[in-house]
Amino acid sequence: MCGICGLLGRDAPDPELVEDMNAAILHRGPDHGAVAPYGRCVLGYRRLSIIDLETGDQPVASETGEVVAVFNGELYNFRALRRELEAKGHRIAGSGDSPLIPHAYEEWGPGFATHLEGMFAIALWDRGAERLVLARDRLGKKPLCYAWLPDGRFAFASETKALLRLRDLPRELDLAQIDAYLALQYVPRSGLAAVERVPPASVCVLERGRLRAERYWTPRPAPASAQAGEWIERVRDEVAAAVARRLVADVPVGALLSGGLDSAVVVAAMAAASPGPVSTFTVGFPDRDYDERRFARLVSERYATRHEELEVDPGPELLDRLAAAFDEPFGDEAALPTLLVCEATRRHVKVALVGDGGDEVFGGYERYRAHALAARVPRRAAALGAGALGLLPVARRRPRSRLFRGRRFLEVSAASAESRYARLVEVFPLALRRRLWPDPAQARETRALLPAASDLRLVDIESYLPGDLLPKADIASMAVSLELRSPLLDHRVVELGLALPPRLAAGKAALRAAFARELPPEILARGKTGFGVPLDRWFRRELRSLAPELVLGAAERGLFRRGELERLLREHESGRADHGHRLWCLCMLELWQRRTLDAPRAAGGAS
């Protein structure tokens, strides 16, 4: 597990610039680092040693040295891949996964990524062809961003903060991305007009000054089974195999245990495959409505894990820490407990498995069921019902209450069919964004920001997963030098989940049935709750004094209308509405701008 960066120029770039970029991502790999020039291309990397501790340093090269690469991630099929390449005559150094990459490229060209299984971001320089290749894993677990500099140089890195070390990187906001952030709580790319992301499941090839992107995988259903029992057995076998593949490491491995079904399944499979007790880690809150520690303990007790708990309550310093870790606008408040539980976990292990992806793959989100049910409710009746519930204080103030959820459901049911799913996932509705922007035309329909697919799981796999959940997990964990592995996002598990018949693809029915014997009844019976935090209370108490300064910062910048921002603060403070999530998004946007737009530029940057 590493961080990578580099520069490609018309002439040889200054390696000191890449040294500076590399220093910005030290947290991704504190065990080793290097920067190496190869003519027009300079490659840098940071290493967190997980496999092949003695000989796994980078950059890695082919036998001739004509092909060199830096690599962030883990290849779970590296042993089989090594045997295949060695049978074809390749002489591969070391015993880990990194040295395979130049040889895989030599054997299969830019399409080599189709042969890799795992999570990865790769930068490869073919000196003979003067070709730079950037590759990213199928689901987008490992990040990779890039930018063209004004003088024609091309820069790339695992995180935007490395690119920001280049003084001449343009820092203009992309207002379309900021509007998308208000709608979805994450940006499609970076928030900056100049910084792009390599898309998931894609290889970008840069040669002769032109960049082209080629997608090598698309999530599709696996071949079908005939009988219900067959499906359940396949789910059990694929999930267990995916967990076992992710236990390969030369350092201790633990698990983040949330108290939900997905992480419980992962821990159960780990316990079955591990010779000793599993180490588990969970986070909780003083607010019982948001605290899942009691459920995590049930799983821990079932498998006699070595269990650690962390209680979280906010302070202004935590927001600053979160903003320092995330170098893009990021409004998912679960990033805070994720960062803190990763920090606690890192004190004990370097690698932890997580249950990410279970909802997208096995149909766990409540909004999937709400979307199907909303189509059966007459729109006029839904609008009247939503208005009536809106008169009740609890239906406006308590997001986890039944009345609040009922009002939200009726509001969605009153929307047009093509807008319903967008309404279910949006944070700032279109009408509110039109009031916020000085130019209302800046606000776009939320549905235009989402991919089109009849299966809502595919919508999330192509948008919410790479835009929110995976960046959250990667940035929060790598900020404290912890590697997270997601067995439920193994591409074979994803393809199997997408193939499930409707009765098994809803409410995680297949996953529950597959592991029914292994889990406590209370876990099997639980619905989806999410890794939420009590924002409603925080903005009325702990964060009350800090919020106005941060929220109104957007007005000082001329970004949003001051009157609308003040109204959000006023309504939340008085209890007339719960704008906690929206206020959090605005606070994180302002903190990001202070670090990205207001901070002094680095001293270097021009070569």
Side-chain angles (χ1 to χ4, degrees):
M1 181 58 63
C2 306
I4 63 176
C5 59
L7 270 176
L8 177 67
R10 295 188 181 93
D11 301 311
D14 183 353
E16 289 190 6
L17 299 178
V18 181
E19 292 276 9
D20 203 23
M21 295 169 68
N22 212 31
I25 52 173
L26 172 65
H27 52 278
R28 297 189 71 90
D31 295 334
H32 184 257
V35 168
Y38 301 96
R40 291 177 50 219
C41 187
V42 180
L43 298 177
Y45 97 110
R46 298 296 324 179
R47 185 183 183 204
L48 181 66
S49 303
I50 303 294
I51 292 176
D52 190 13
L53 305 184
E54 298 299 324
T55 62
D57 292 341
Q58 302 180 35
V60 290
S62 61
E63 295 97 331
T64 64
E66 283 296 292
V67 178
V68 292
V70 286
F71 162 64
N72 168 26
E74 301 288 352
L75 302 182
Y76 303 124
N77 67 331
F78 75 94
R79 290 181 176 134
L81 194 58
R82 177 181 287 269
R83 291 193 294 270
E84 182 178 0
L85 289 168
E86 287 178 340
K88 294 176 180 291
H90 292 270
R91 298 188 305 278
I92 305 170
S95 61
D97 50 3
S98 303
L100 304 175
I101 291 166
H103 301 276
Y105 169 82
E106 285 184 322
E107 188 64 36
W108 296 297
F112 74 102
T114 60
H115 297 264
L116 309 182
E117 297 179 9
M119 54 181 181
F120 55 84
I122 296 167
L124 181 147
W125 174 238
D126 182 336
R127 294 203 280 186
E130 292 204 320
R131 174 191 295 153
L132 178 67
V133 179
L134 304 178
R136 202 162 166 223
D137 65 69
R138 288 169 176 79
L139 277 303
K141 298 171 190 172
K142 292 289 101 184
L144 189 53
C145 57
Y146 64 86
W148 289 97
L149 302 178
D151 63 0
R153 287 174 300 155
F154 182 84
F156 60 88
S158 294
E159 297 183 27
T160 304
K161 57 173 61 71
L163 300 180
L164 291 169
R165 290 295 183 96
L166 300 169
R167 186 179 60 196
D168 48 351
L169 176 78
R171 301 194 184 194
E172 287 75 23
L173 288 180
D174 184 332
L175 295 185
Q177 289 192 60
I178 302 305
D179 184 63
Y181 168 75
L182 295 178
L184 300 172
Q185 77 182 7
Y186 60 86
V187 287
R189 296 186 297 281
S190 67
L192 297 177
V195 179
E196 300 281 350
R197 289 177 182 162
V198 176
S202 296
V203 173
C204 290
V205 178
L206 176 57
E207 53 186 337
R208 293 185 289 276
R210 298 188 65 181
L211 182 70
R212 69 178 189 275
E214 300 172 358
R215 184 158 186 167
Y216 64 85
W217 179 81
T218 301
R220 292 191 179 94
S225 295
Q227 305 297 324
E230 243 182 281
W231 284 114
I232 300 306
E233 198 61 35
R234 284 182 66 184
V235 167
R236 182 183 175 83
D237 290 348
E238 284 290 5
V239 169
V243 169
R245 282 192 289 272
R246 283 156 181 80
L247 293 178
V248 176
D250 295 330
V251 295
V253 179
L256 303 191
L257 182 57
S258 70
L261 177 69
D262 303 333
S263 63
V265 164
V266 169
V267 169
M270 287 178 72
S274 302
V278 175
S279 296
T280 54
F281 306 88
T282 194
V283 67
F285 302 93
D287 189 327
R288 185 175 173 82
D289 286 347
Y290 292 84
D291 192 25
E292 298 194 340
R293 283 175 289 179
R294 63 192 183 279
F295 296 105
R297 287 180 203 131
L298 292 172
V299 179
S300 171
E301 291 165 2
R302 174 73 174 263
Y303 291 102
T305 71
R306 292 188 293 260
H307 192 57
E308 299 282 339
E309 292 183 356
L310 172 72
E311 184 170 283
V312 176
D313 226 6
E317 73 285 351
L318 291 182
L319 270 70
D320 287 335
R321 284 193 58 200
L322 192 64
F326 282 78
D327 51 9
E328 60 190 53
F330 197 77
D332 185 344
E333 70 275 16
L336 179 56
T338 302
L339 175 65
L340 296 176
V341 76
C342 285
E343 182 178 49
T345 302
R346 183 61 178 87
R347 299 188 193 114
H348 302 271
V349 297
K350 271 189 172 182
V351 181
L353 271 60
V354 293
D356 289 355
D359 291 299
E360 291 81 5
V361 175
F362 294 105
Y365 287 125
E366 186 180 84
R367 61 179 179 258
Y368 296 161
R369 296 186 291 278
H371 184 268
L373 185 58
R376 305 177 188 176
V377 180
R379 291 177 62 186
R380 181 171 176 78
L384 291 171
L389 282 180
L391 298 175
L392 303 175
V394 70
R396 299 192 308 271
R397 298 176 186 171
R398 297 189 62 190
R400 296 204 168 194
S401 69
R402 290 184 178 180
L403 288 174
F404 189 100
R405 291 182 175 187
R407 178 181 63 83
R408 180 93 171 111
F409 168 73
L410 290 173
E411 287 175 347
V412 169
S413 301
S416 63
E418 61 271 17
S419 298
R420 282 188 189 124
Y421 195 62
R423 291 294 305 275
L424 280 165
V425 300
E426 68 188 354
V427 179
F428 285 80
L430 178 64
L432 178 51
R433 283 183 282 127
R434 283 175 173 162
R435 294 199 301 269
L436 277 174
W437 287 109
D439 177 7
Q442 187 65 57
R444 294 180 62 201
E445 288 272 4
T446 305
R447 67 186 184 195
L449 304 171
L450 300 174
S454 56
D455 188 336
L456 297 180
R457 294 176 299 165
L458 280 173
V459 175
D460 283 339
I461 287 171
E462 299 278 29
S463 58
Y464 181 56
L465 194 63
D468 185 316
L469 294 187
L470 293 177
K472 175 180 65 184
D474 177 82
I475 295 174
S477 61
M478 293 310 296
V480 295
S481 307
L482 175 72
E483 175 179 306
L484 295 185
R485 299 178 177 180
S486 309
L488 299 183
L489 287 174
D490 186 291
H491 75 278
R492 292 187 182 88
V493 175
V494 172
E495 291 168 345
L496 177 59
L498 292 175
L500 291 169
R503 69 185 184 282
L504 295 176
K508 301 182 189 173
L511 195 62
R512 291 178 198 276
F515 289 88
R517 295 191 300 271
E518 279 76 17
L519 299 179
E522 297 91 337
I523 300 298
L524 289 168
R526 290 194 74 202
K528 175 68 179 176
T529 57
F531 202 6
V533 298
L535 293 179
D536 178 37
R537 189 200 83 202
W538 284 3
F539 279 107
R540 291 196 182 97
R541 298 181 190 172
E542 292 90 342
L543 301 179
R544 181 175 178 177
S545 61
L546 177 66
E549 175 198 345
L550 294 177
V551 170
L552 297 179
E556 299 300 322
R557 297 176 186 276
L559 194 59
F560 303 133
R561 290 175 173 159
R562 186 180 187 90
E564 285 300 317
L565 297 172
E566 290 175 336
R567 182 180 63 80
L568 292 174
L569 287 164
R570 195 165 53 246
E571 288 183 353
H572 187 85
E573 185 176 326
S574 68
R576 291 200 302 273
D578 179 8
H579 293 305
H581 194 176
R582 293 167 186 150
L583 296 176
W584 180 269
C585 287
L586 291 168
C587 287
M588 297 314 296
L589 177 62
E590 173 61 17
L591 287 170
W592 171 75
Q593 289 185 96
R594 290 181 183 184
R595 289 185 169 273
T596 303
L597 306 183
D598 303 347
R601 293 183 178 239
S607 63

